[in-house]
Amino acid sequence: MSTWSGISTALSALRTQRVAIEVAGQNIANVNTPGYARQRVDMTAGIGVDVSAISRLHNAILGDRSRTEGAQLQDLSMASAALTEIEAVFPEPSSYGLQTKLDGLWSSFADVAREPDDSGARVQVLAQANSITDWLNNAATELTEITANHTAGLTNLVKMVNGYAEQLAQLNVAISQSVENTQTANSLLDQRSHIADQLANAVGGTYLTNDANQLSVTIGGGTLVGPSTSATLQVASVGGTTSLQWASDSATATVSSGTANGYLTAINTTVDSWNTTLDTVASALTTQVNAVQTTGFDRDGNAGNNLFTGTTASTISVALTDGDDIAASAIAPAAGVVSLDGSKADAMAALAMATNGPDELYQDLVVSLGFAVQAADRSAETQQSLSSSITSQIDAESGVSIDEEMANLLAYQRAYEAAARVLTAIDAVLETLINRTGVVGR
């Protein structure tokens, strides 16, 4: 090897090791950067050493699996959160729950049955009845607010999704114009991967990369992100059903996972189902109490009128305003004398134990809701475990290890120093040759 080629060899080593040092430093600097995949300098030996590529250590198969499982996790987590919100509407067992108020109503009926002529006991019946209807009205309102809040959350989510889609399309263009296996290209790929993960968490979808390394995203067969373009989604409500639509033609954009699907399930199914179940409790209360009340006679001997109106949780109310209108007696007035036997009041108190009565229906609601919450929590926890396992595999391959990078950095520094020493040695040889050749014997 000639002296001049030695300089070239040492110089190539200096340049290559300097790039390797920069890449190791970049890995360390981005250890906590979301979506960052560690990079590695691939070197090729020839006349000296050159950087053949700066590889991005990313497993595309694991990345796709992570998006799929992450979208499913967000869906299940949203389902669990929605049920937890619904469960909070029914604080059982507690003094604030409906069961305590139902117990108070039946107890007040029993008091009237014992003392039919006690006006205070009759007023207490109305107070307890009003307490129940207020609770049911408030519960229905809270369930409606949960739906409204989730609808607002879905609207905000869709705005973010549209932003993610637009960013992905722009990154596709930038990546197609960049030089492959360079730090610039790898940085763009990291950004795209991170945004794609966020998009998958939001709406799921299918993610495919073409030969030009451009990422396309489809949802329900429709293209959300193309090689250089993106579509826009919107939230729509038709016939009481909320859905996602393509803004271009108002066609339905079908989602089957992600936070968006969790929102849609809660809005269209979950909250409504428990609201309907609560309505059956209100209907049973109205129907069964009125059935007894209207067959009895009040304190003045008049035929009883309905105690409750409305058959849903949101519409139920107390129809009577005077305690004397409670039809506690089963015996009609005779010869102008009003009977106060209290048997009808006793029958209304006995509704506490009625088959398919308001108590039984409400207790079934609370128990069923509790099981539903537990099942949703377990499903979310299981999915979390699976998603975490995949994330751990990705971190093992793409994550930055400070210890490993420090060791690499030290090795590159020593290689750089060695190349510098070679260059120094060649310089010393050249100095001797140039400055001392031909001076012997002078």
Side-chain angles (χ1 to χ4, degrees), residues 297-387:
F297 299 91
D298 64 19
R299 189 172 184 181
D300 296 327
N302 300 315
N305 293 314
N306 288 336
L307 175 58
F308 294 107
T309 61
T311 56
T312 66
S314 62
T315 61
I316 190 172
S317 64
V318 177
L320 303 181
T321 58
D322 189 343
D324 288 344
D325 293 335
I326 301 297
S329 175
I331 302 173
V337 178
V338 177
S339 173
L340 296 174
D341 69 320
S343 57
K344 287 296 180 181
D346 195 45
M348 285 187 276
L351 291 175
M353 304 301 294
T355 300
N356 289 326
D359 286 67
E360 181 178 293
L361 292 174
Y362 180 67
Q363 290 163 13
D364 288 345
L365 181 156
V366 172
V367 171
S368 298
L369 180 57
F371 281 128
V373 170
Q374 290 180 3
D377 288 346
R378 284 195 296 269
S379 295
E381 289 171 1
T382 300
Q383 186 63 31
Q384 175 66 64
S385 177
L386 176 58
S387 184

Side-chain angles (χ1 to χ4, degrees), residues 394-414:
I394 292 175
D395 288 343
E397 184 168 341
S398 301
V400 176
S401 167
I402 294 294
D403 293 339
E404 181 180 353
E405 294 303 326
M406 290 299 295
N408 289 338
L409 189 60
L410 183 61
Y412 298 145
Q413 287 176 330
R414 292 293 178 260

Side-chain angles (χ1 to χ4, degrees), residues 12 62 64 120 129 135 247 254 264 278 289 295 301 309 340 381 407 431-432:
S12 70
L62 280 177
D64 288 341
W135 191 98
T254 304
L264 289 170
L278 183 61
V289 171
T295 58
T309 61
L340 296 174
E381 289 171 1
E431 182 183 8
T432 299

Side-chain angles (χ1 to χ4, degrees), residues 45 169 205-206 249 283 352:
T206 301
D249 58 6
S283 178

Side-chain angles (χ1 to χ4, degrees), residues 200-215:
N201 287 340
V203 292
T206 301
Y207 298 74
L208 296 175
T209 304
N210 62 16
D211 294 337
N213 206 7
Q214 294 169 312
L215 182 68

